Amino acid sequence: MYIPKNMEMTEAEAISKFISDYGFGILVSPDLSGTHLPFIFEPEEEELGCLYGHFARSNPHWEALESQRVMVIFNGPHSYVSPTWYQSKPAVPTWNYAAVHCYGVVTLLNDEENEQAMNQLVAKYEPELLEATELMPSDYQARLRKRVVGFKILVDDIHAKEKLGQHRKVDDQAGVFSALIESTHPDAVALSSYMKKRKLGIGS
């Protein structure tokens, strides 16, 4: 991913939170196959962290992944930006966004490891389900786990980018930020919220 220096996200804590917040990623293997999957990121494991996920066993993508180096793409908020929102002229349309690419080597998990990883995923999104034994009895979960293949990725490189207009003049930033806030499009509103949280491209 091309990242100008003034658009690079470098803080480990910010990157970890980004992956946690936008954890539905795309795993891309060396043959350019891609699968959309939810991930759990453990930033404290090893030097740069580990990603955990699972494939449907019926998905052939997993079959050749052991020990392969892959890329996982995490997309954050993004939106069209109109040149009419700038004070400076001339100007052209653009697209602002945030994204993180993680690279690393895949290891397939055994059933015990996969159970732990899947429980962590449930705990993240709906922890009360872990106690809902009537809805998700243990024998039922065990049968379903046989239909999936768990894996972890030992992350060895991370590229993180925030293209939020922070390189433009303050008045231009303010115009874009204001237009995004006032937009009725959910993508624009989500991007403005992210920019405010990160204090980037907001004109102050």
Side-chain angles (χ1 to χ4, degrees), residues 85 174-185 188-189 192:
W85 301 344
V176 170
F177 184 55
S178 177
L180 291 171
I181 289 175
E182 294 170 4
S183 174
T184 58
H185 197 289
V189 175
S192 69

Side-chain angles (χ1 to χ4, degrees), residues 5-24:
K5 283 296 183 184
N6 59 359
M7 297 179 185
E8 185 177 14
M9 189 194 322
T10 58
E11 315 99 296
E13 186 176 342
I15 292 171
S16 177
K17 187 168 191 324
F18 185 98
I19 296 173
S20 178
D21 289 346
Y22 307 103
F24 190 68

Side-chain angles (χ1 to χ4, degrees), residues 90-107:
V92 295
T94 191
W95 207 276
N96 284 357
Y97 63 93
V100 170
H101 292 187
C102 293
Y103 302 83
V105 175
V106 174
T107 300

Side-chain angles (χ1 to χ4, degrees), residues 6-185:
N6 59 359
M7 297 179 185
E8 185 177 14
M9 189 194 322
T10 58
E11 315 99 296
E13 186 176 342
I15 292 171
S16 177
K17 187 168 191 324
F18 185 98
I19 296 173
S20 178
D21 289 346
Y22 307 103
F24 190 68
I26 306 170
L27 188 154
V28 182
S29 54
D31 65 355
L32 300 185
S33 296
T35 299
H36 298 251
L37 299 165
F39 287 87
I40 288 291
F41 183 49
E42 295 291 350
E44 303 303 322
E45 289 189 26
E46 306 298 336
E47 186 176 353
L48 293 179
C50 286
L51 290 165
Y52 288 84
H54 61 274
F55 288 95
R57 188 171 290 276
S58 57
N59 180 352
H61 194 184
W62 69 268
E63 294 176 4
L65 285 186
E66 179 74 47
S67 300
Q68 291 291 304
R69 191 166 186 263
V70 300
M71 173 175 66
V72 181
I73 300 170
F74 297 101
N75 286 309
H78 60 89
S79 179
Y80 172 78
V81 173
S82 170
T84 64
W85 301 344
Y86 298 133
Q87 292 294 319
S88 304
K89 303 292 187 290
V92 295
T94 191
W95 207 276
N96 284 357
Y97 63 93
V100 170
H101 292 187
C102 293
Y103 302 83
V105 175
V106 174
T107 300
L108 301 183
L109 302 177
N110 62 36
D111 185 66
E112 183 179 344
E113 293 168 331
N114 189 38
E115 180 180 6
Q116 181 179 353
M118 294 182 77
N119 284 343
Q120 287 178 298
L121 192 62
V122 173
K124 175 180 176 180
Y125 291 103
E126 198 170 359
E128 57 270 22
L129 286 181
L130 294 174
E131 306 300 325
T133 54
E134 186 174 322
L135 180 63
M136 292 184 9
S138 58
D139 59 334
Y140 176 70
Q141 292 184 55
R143 289 197 303 272
L144 289 184
R145 278 198 307 276
K146 295 183 184 300
R147 301 178 190 176
V148 303
V149 177
F151 65 89
K152 76 173 181 178
I153 300 170
L154 176 59
V155 177
D156 58 40
D157 198 10
I158 298 176
H159 298 174
K161 180 176 183 178
E162 294 173 307
K163 180 183 178 292
L164 304 175
Q166 65 267 42
H167 59 294
R168 297 195 64 95
K169 295 178 179 178
V170 171
D171 287 347
D172 290 346
Q173 293 183 36
V176 170
F177 184 55
S178 177
L180 291 171
I181 289 175
E182 294 170 4
S183 174
T184 58
H185 197 289

